[in-house]
Amino acid sequence: MDRARRRLDGLLFLWIFRATIELPVGRASPSPMIGKDTGSGSSSAKLAVSLKFGNDNAFQLELRRRVDAYFRTTGRRQRDCWQMYLKTAILIGGFAVSYALLVFVARTWWQALPSAMLLGLSAAGIGFNIQHDGSHQAYSNYPWVNKLMAMSLELIGGSSYLWRWKHVLFHHAYVNITGHDTDVDLGILARLTPHQTRLAFHRWQHLYLWPLYGLLAIKWQLVDDFRKLIRGRISDQPFPRPKGWELVILVAGKAIFFALAFGIPLRVHSLGVVVLYYAVAGLVTGIVLSVVFQVAHCVEEAEFPVPAASTGRIGNAWAIHQAETTVDFARRSGVVAWLVGGLNFQIEHHLFPRISHVNYPVISTLVEQTCRDFGIRYTEYGSLRAGMASHFRWLRRMGMPDPTE
């Protein structure tokens, strides 16, 4: 029975993925089914009330029409962009060079430290740019190319299979919805939404979370992926464990990563040195990845809606929900856009996840104007620093007692 329910969950979420992310804008709002463990001490995946969005798709249809018209009249490609192939070569090359310098060339701390930091930044760049576009099928029109690029996550210690479930399905379908969006669930460690339980020590989360963000990549590489596989859950959401080639890719990816991170370096350096500079690279990767995500979603201006208890429905249509739960930052900085894979154009990404991020700067004006025309809030911070300041204030606000407490 448990296996049958997990299989049903898998089929349901594949349907969600196609309905909300892959198919052209203008389809009916999705009606996703969320798996919940409602039994005390039971590990069975239970089906919860259907989560639906509003039915007014006028904004969605008009935005898609304008964006499609732009690509049609300019002849610009939505995917298979030369800029993306060039960026891939630069990022992979930077990763390989920084790894070689750290492992085979550096002999002093002042040589090793910048090499480890550059390696961490290169890993984050691969995650932001190559694997992200690949996992969203935004890199190429060819599925095998997208799959190959998504697998670059294995190179930096993750699992493209698990990430697709956690991010592409659970996060993108239910952005900022407490209990459904696994990306805003840090467990008891933090309170990121108004609808999560506040604990006494959350009063200081605006101070202690920042250094802990650095542990994201290390925890994900060494602990989280294995725990998800054992539990068959991502946060509270059940997912089908990988089988066949997906399982082979996951195991082989972990083996390659551990060989690169520990096996090869231990043939050249002592255990203490290897662990130290692995930690340096991991901390850099974790801080960069965490901050970019938090600035896009966990800030003062982002919405955190809840479905109506009686209907399980979110009031806004899906596209409006995406626009009002995400925030852009540093839109006018070409350097930031290049480094973070266009994720400073977060609204554009959530509305058009299957368009390569190299196109987000040019369609952002269309997206902003369409939002204005329909009276939909379009929020942006002028800089990354302004977004980080808002995240700091949001963490402090979420850590304070509610007036009713």
Side-chain angles (χ1 to χ4, degrees):
M1 177 63 72
D2 185 63
R3 291 184 63 187
R5 282 176 175 165
R6 288 183 185 279
R7 181 173 179 82
L8 177 59
D9 285 339
L11 293 173
L12 285 167
F13 275 105
L14 287 175
W15 176 81
I16 295 165
F17 178 68
R18 294 188 179 100
T20 64
I21 297 174
E22 288 189 332
L23 294 180
V25 173
R27 298 294 294 263
S29 299
S31 301
M33 302 290 286
I34 308 299
K36 286 285 187 182
D37 183 1
T38 58
S40 176
S42 171
S43 61
S44 297
K46 307 289 186 181
L47 291 179
V49 176
S50 175
L51 180 62
K52 301 179 181 180
F53 292 86
N55 294 321
D56 184 2
N57 289 325
F59 165 70
Q60 197 174 15
L61 289 167
E62 177 60 17
L63 179 59
R64 169 63 73 180
R65 186 194 67 78
R66 293 182 185 184
V67 171
D68 283 348
Y70 169 81
F71 283 104
R72 186 171 57 253
T73 57
T74 62
R76 190 182 180 104
R77 291 185 172 187
Q78 294 189 15
R79 290 167 289 278
D80 285 311
C81 305
W82 68 265
Q83 299 97 323
M84 195 60 225
Y85 286 97
L86 176 61
K87 180 186 281 193
T88 298
I90 293 172
L91 289 171
I92 295 294
F95 181 86
V97 169
S98 57
Y99 179 85
L101 289 174
L102 177 62
V103 176
F104 302 113
V105 177
R107 290 293 179 265
T108 63
W109 71 266
W110 55 267
Q111 293 173 331
L113 183 61
S115 297
M117 295 177 68
L118 180 59
L119 182 62
L121 289 173
S122 299
I126 290 172
F128 284 141
N129 293 271
I130 305 171
Q131 79 83 21
H132 194 260
D133 270 25
S135 293
H136 279 292
Q137 303 181 59
Y139 195 104
S140 174
N141 290 319
Y142 299 98
W144 70 269
V145 175
N146 287 320
K147 180 64 175 176
L148 181 63
M149 297 305 163
M151 286 167 55
S152 64
L153 186 59
E154 268 74 12
L155 181 66
I156 60 175
S159 164
S160 54
Y161 178 86
L162 295 174
W163 193 85
R164 185 170 69 248
W165 278 92
K166 184 180 190 301
H167 181 83
V168 178
L169 292 174
F170 294 131
H171 170 62
H172 269 262
Y174 316 116
V175 186
N176 280 13
I177 302 177
T178 306
H180 301 280
D181 180 358
T182 58
D183 279 4
V184 295
D185 181 8
L186 296 184
I188 66 170
L189 186 63
R191 183 185 186 222
L192 297 182
T193 85
H195 315 295
Q196 293 171 339
T197 302
R198 191 192 76 86
L199 301 176
F201 61 85
H202 291 159
R203 180 186 296 270
W204 299 282
Q205 66 178 9
H206 60 291
L207 301 175
Y208 69 73
L209 267 186
W210 296 90
L212 291 181
Y213 283 157
L215 299 177
L216 168 71
I218 296 173
K219 182 170 174 284
W220 149 51
Q221 292 162 349
L222 303 182
V223 178
D224 284 353
D225 284 352
F226 299 104
R227 185 170 60 184
K228 291 167 190 172
L229 288 172
I230 293 170
R231 295 179 64 237
R233 288 177 177 272
I234 298 173
S235 292
D236 289 329
Q237 309 291 9
F239 73 99
R241 292 183 177 93
K243 297 178 180 179
W245 280 110
E246 291 288 1
L247 181 58
V248 170
I249 292 170
L250 190 152
V251 173
K254 288 295 182 183
I256 292 171
F257 170 74
F258 281 111
L260 289 172
F262 301 107
I264 296 174
L266 283 172
R267 298 181 65 87
V268 184
H269 304 283
S270 68
L271 177 61
V273 169
V274 171
V275 171
L276 172 63
Y277 289 106
Y278 163 74
V280 170
L283 288 170
V284 171
T285 302
I287 289 173
V288 173
L289 292 176
S290 296
V291 168
V292 169
F293 172 80
Q294 300 292 26
V295 167
H297 295 291
C298 298
V299 289
E300 298 159 300
E301 286 76 10
E303 295 291 331
F304 293 86
V306 293
S310 58
T311 64
R313 182 180 292 277
I314 297 293
N316 283 329
W318 179 82
I320 298 174
H321 172 83
Q322 297 292 321
E324 295 190 346
T325 53
T326 54
V327 175
D328 284 4
F329 61 91
R331 288 170 62 200
R332 291 159 186 81
S333 173
V335 173
V336 172
W338 196 95
L339 292 174
V340 304
L343 293 180
N344 53 325
F345 294 90
Q346 194 74 201
I347 297 173
E348 289 72 20
H349 169 58
H350 273 263
L351 290 169
F352 296 97
R354 291 196 63 191
I355 291 179
S356 176
H357 75 263
V358 300
N359 291 306
Y360 292 158
V362 296
I363 68 170
S364 64
T365 302
L366 287 174
V367 174
E368 180 181 12
Q369 185 58 52
T370 308
C371 285
R372 307 290 185 224
D373 292 344
F374 280 81
I376 297 167
R377 189 174 65 195
Y378 182 100
T379 305
E380 67 165 310
Y381 295 115
S383 66
L384 175 59
R385 183 171 62 180
M388 292 173 65
S390 181
H391 178 56
F392 176 88
R393 292 190 296 269
W394 179 252
L395 289 177
R396 184 172 57 189
R397 177 177 164 188
M398 289 297 97
M400 298 299 290
D402 293 327
T404 56
E405 290 185 12

